[in-house]
Amino acid sequence: MRFYDREKELGILQTNWEQTSERGRMTVLIGRRRIGKTTLLTKSADDGGQPLLYLYVSKDNERVLTGKFQEAAEQTLGLQIFGRMETFAQFFEQLLRYGQQNHFTLVFDEFQNFLKVNPAIPSHIQDIWDRYHEKTRVNMVACGSIYNMMHKIFDNEDEPLYGRQDCRLNMLPFRISILKQILHDHNPKYTPEDLLCLYTLTGGVAKYVAWLMDAKATTKSKMLRWVTQAGSPYLSEGTELIMSEFGKDYTNYLSILQLIASGMTTQSEIDGAIGKNTGAYLDNLEKDYSYIHRKQPMFSKPGGRNSRWQLDDCFLRFWFRFIIRNQALVEMERNDLLLEIVEKGYEQYTGLVLKQYFRQKWMEEERVTLVGNYWDRKGQNEIDMIALNDIDKTAVVAEIKRQRRKFSPTELAEKAATLNKNLSKYSVTQIGLSMEDL
């Protein structure tokens, strides 16, 4: 699949490159695994004609890793360092010295792994960077996918690299308009069902979209068949992702995420299923890992108890709902039965995904300042979407159904009436949204 979108990110990276013609800059690029960080950086370097030294930080012994870096620098930049270096600090200082006469981009991918190699490395980087960044021409990018470790390294006041970044980029999945463009390029006659399936399986994560497009799985039936077939990387991706994030403690987090994906959205429900207080785990999943978010109904007071936990990542939600729950079928190589289970539960499952789709679509494409949904204290009287425009004082209240014939204007009006006090200053439009509106 060819390169799509990312014009804003490419523009920022190009500006950073131009500014490093005079002094070094440090950019931090964070995004979930498979989001396309490496592809973006390679594209930026190619478009800008930048010499690029790309270094992947594997969890090796420091001396071994430094040796690999030394070889890569010689092959890519022609930087010859006589003698084998013992420490990363020695190598990094040589790079910044080289940068005094040579302008190049330096990428450390999976930067957070330095903490596994040697916890002192961020301190060494801080010391050397502080001494050289005003006189070197190195465009350094620290790239990472594990949120909590990257935030710890760069945002914690007690950490040595706090305050050293000149630019921060958070890579997000493709917007819905880009998903439409990609699917149209590969299947000009795609249907709304095909588009919803692509969104359901990938959430716009670049690598997952590329997997499907490169496999020519461009219709709903082909996509579901591909993700469930023997040998599909989709089947093991979730486990690899969770284990890379959580390490030895992954089992508790795996269980909690699976419960949320299955519909248990309150802590009391999750505590009951796990058999212990999960508050600390839920806080970590939200604040440190950004896997889940505490959702509150529109117009509720911040910090109120009427909240629900939500797993926003489309890929993970689908994987927890259908793949890991049926792992035994994968191990038995009964992928035919796995596909049957997915197809049987697909329509009901995507009814919920459709609501997330339209809320995201409204945020990306409409003139709105806030988008959310509503439910009362009893968890009832739900309104699928409320979109506010506090500039024009307009509001859209929407009910979302797969089939338009199931939309009830009367029922929606009754629900909206309970919010008359909150919506009194807005000009309100009530609508029904369905598959026809994708």
Side-chain angles (χ1 to χ4, degrees):
M1 188 178 81
R2 69 175 178 84
F3 189 88
Y4 284 89
D5 196 31
R6 308 304 189 192
E7 287 87 358
K8 180 182 72 173
E9 291 88 347
L10 287 170
I12 293 171
L13 291 172
Q14 180 61 29
T15 298
N16 291 347
W17 166 252
E18 293 168 358
Q19 291 178 345
T20 53
S21 63
E22 299 179 357
R23 63 180 293 274
R25 285 179 63 85
M26 184 185 296
T27 298
V28 175
L29 175 61
I30 302 178
R32 81 179 306 283
R33 173 178 160 137
R34 308 295 197 185
I35 203 71
K37 301 183 295 298
T38 303
T39 303
L40 170 69
L41 293 170
T42 303
K43 172 71 172 174
S44 175
D46 289 345
D47 289 352
Q50 308 167 21
L52 172 66
L53 176 58
Y54 171 87
L55 301 174
Y56 178 81
V57 184
S58 55
K59 299 175 185 178
D60 287 318
N61 168 275
E62 182 177 0
R63 189 171 186 270
V64 172
L65 183 64
T66 302
K68 291 179 180 179
F69 287 174
Q70 190 173 337
E71 292 176 7
E74 182 174 351
Q75 293 173 2
T76 304
L77 301 177
L79 171 60
Q80 294 199 6
I81 303 172
F82 297 101
R84 187 177 181 87
M85 292 193 164
E86 300 290 329
T87 68
F88 171 80
Q90 293 173 321
F91 169 74
F92 187 60
E93 185 166 5
Q94 286 296 318
L95 282 181
L96 296 195
R97 285 181 177 177
Y98 179 79
Q100 291 177 311
Q101 303 298 325
N102 300 275
H103 189 197
F104 68 97
T105 293
L106 169 64
V107 173
F108 289 112
D109 198 0
E110 299 300 347
F111 186 89
Q112 73 280 343
N113 286 344
F114 275 131
L115 294 178
K116 302 290 186 181
V117 176
N118 179 354
I121 285 179
S123 295
H124 300 324
I125 292 175
Q126 175 252 314
D127 171 56
I128 297 166
W129 185 257
D130 286 353
R131 287 191 280 120
Y132 284 92
H133 77 278
E134 290 288 352
K135 50 190 177 183
T136 193
R137 299 166 67 201
V138 173
N139 178 35
M140 176 176 157
V141 182
C143 185
S145 61
I146 299 183
Y147 285 88
N148 74 316
M149 295 178 72
M150 291 295 286
H151 286 304
K152 176 185 176 183
I153 292 169
F154 291 100
D155 299 334
N156 189 325
E157 294 183 10
D158 297 327
E159 295 298 319
L161 288 177
Y162 175 78
R164 297 310 189 279
Q165 60 183 308
D166 298 289
C167 177
R168 164 74 67 88
L169 283 174
N170 292 309
M171 276 193 76
L172 300 175
F174 287 136
R175 291 169 287 125
I176 287 172
S177 60
I178 301 302
L179 278 183
K180 290 181 177 180
Q181 179 186 347
I182 294 171
L183 189 55
H184 179 270
D185 288 348
H186 291 81
N187 177 13
K189 297 182 179 180
Y190 77 85
T191 68
E193 282 287 3
D194 299 331
L195 175 60
L196 181 59
C197 190
L198 181 62
Y199 179 81
T200 297
L201 296 175
T202 71
V205 174
K207 189 63 175 180
Y208 305 149
V209 176
W211 279 349
L212 293 168
M213 297 302 101
D214 291 344
K216 304 189 184 306
T218 59
T219 65
K220 170 193 163 184
S221 60
K222 290 180 180 178
M223 290 181 206
L224 294 182
R225 193 177 306 119
W226 187 85
V227 300
T228 57
Q229 72 183 11
S232 170
Y234 203 95
L235 298 177
S236 60
E237 174 70 8
T239 301
E240 294 173 9
L241 185 63
I242 297 299
M243 290 184 69
S244 69
E245 287 273 17
F246 303 115
K248 296 178 181 179
D249 201 25
Y250 82 95
T251 53
N252 284 316
Y253 289 107
L254 192 71
S255 298
I256 292 171
L257 289 170
Q258 188 171 349
L259 291 172
I260 295 173
S262 69
M264 291 190 183
T265 58
T266 66
Q267 184 178 337
S268 60
E269 291 176 316
I270 297 168
D271 287 351
I274 297 290
K276 64 179 179 180
N277 187 303
T278 59
Y281 291 102
L282 291 167
D283 285 344
N284 288 341
L285 283 168
E286 180 182 34
K287 296 175 183 177
D288 291 341
Y289 296 97
S290 298
Y291 268 69
I292 61 175
H293 295 92
R294 189 194 300 270
K295 300 293 184 180
Q296 292 186 286
M298 188 80 85
F299 308 118
S300 64
K301 296 180 180 180
R305 294 184 178 181
N306 187 18
S307 62
R308 299 173 177 176
W309 289 106
Q310 182 169 311
L311 177 58
D312 292 326
D313 190 291
C314 286
F315 163 81
L316 282 175
R317 197 165 57 231
F318 182 90
W319 188 83
F320 278 115
R321 171 65 178 80
F322 292 105
I323 307 301
I324 193 171
R325 181 181 293 185
N326 298 291
Q327 192 64 33
L329 293 178
V330 177
E331 294 173 1
M332 293 164 53
E333 298 186 354
R334 290 307 308 269
N335 300 75
D336 56 328
L337 296 181
L338 176 61
L339 174 59
E340 188 176 328
I341 289 171
V342 170
E343 290 177 333
K344 185 176 181 180
Y346 179 82
E347 184 166 328
Q348 180 182 11
Y349 174 78
T350 52
L352 299 174
V353 177
L354 191 63
K355 298 175 183 181
Q356 177 178 331
Y357 174 95
F358 277 115
R359 288 194 288 265
Q360 180 178 333
K361 184 175 187 291
W362 233 253
M363 284 188 285
E364 293 176 352
E365 300 177 8
E366 302 297 331
R367 184 176 165 85
V368 295
T369 55
L370 184 65
V371 177
N373 55 328
Y374 175 82
W375 61 92
D376 62 23
R377 292 182 179 275
K378 296 181 180 179
Q380 302 171 348
N381 196 36
E382 296 199 28
I383 298 176
D384 296 329
M385 187 181 79
I386 302 174
L388 304 180
N389 181 332
D390 282 315
I391 301 171
D392 303 329
K393 298 302 177 184
T394 59
V396 173
V397 177
E399 183 173 305
I400 301 169
K401 301 288 187 183
R402 282 185 61 92
Q403 299 176 13
R404 177 162 291 175
R405 61 182 176 80
K406 292 187 176 181
F407 166 57
S408 171
T410 302
E411 185 178 333
L412 180 59
E414 291 173 353
K415 292 179 179 179
T418 66
L419 294 175
N420 282 343
K421 180 180 178 181
N422 302 100
L423 294 171
S424 59
K425 61 180 180 180
Y426 299 94
S427 173
V428 180
T429 301
Q430 298 178 23
I431 61 174
L433 296 170
S434 68
M435 293 291 294
E436 299 174 26
D437 303 298
L438 261 67

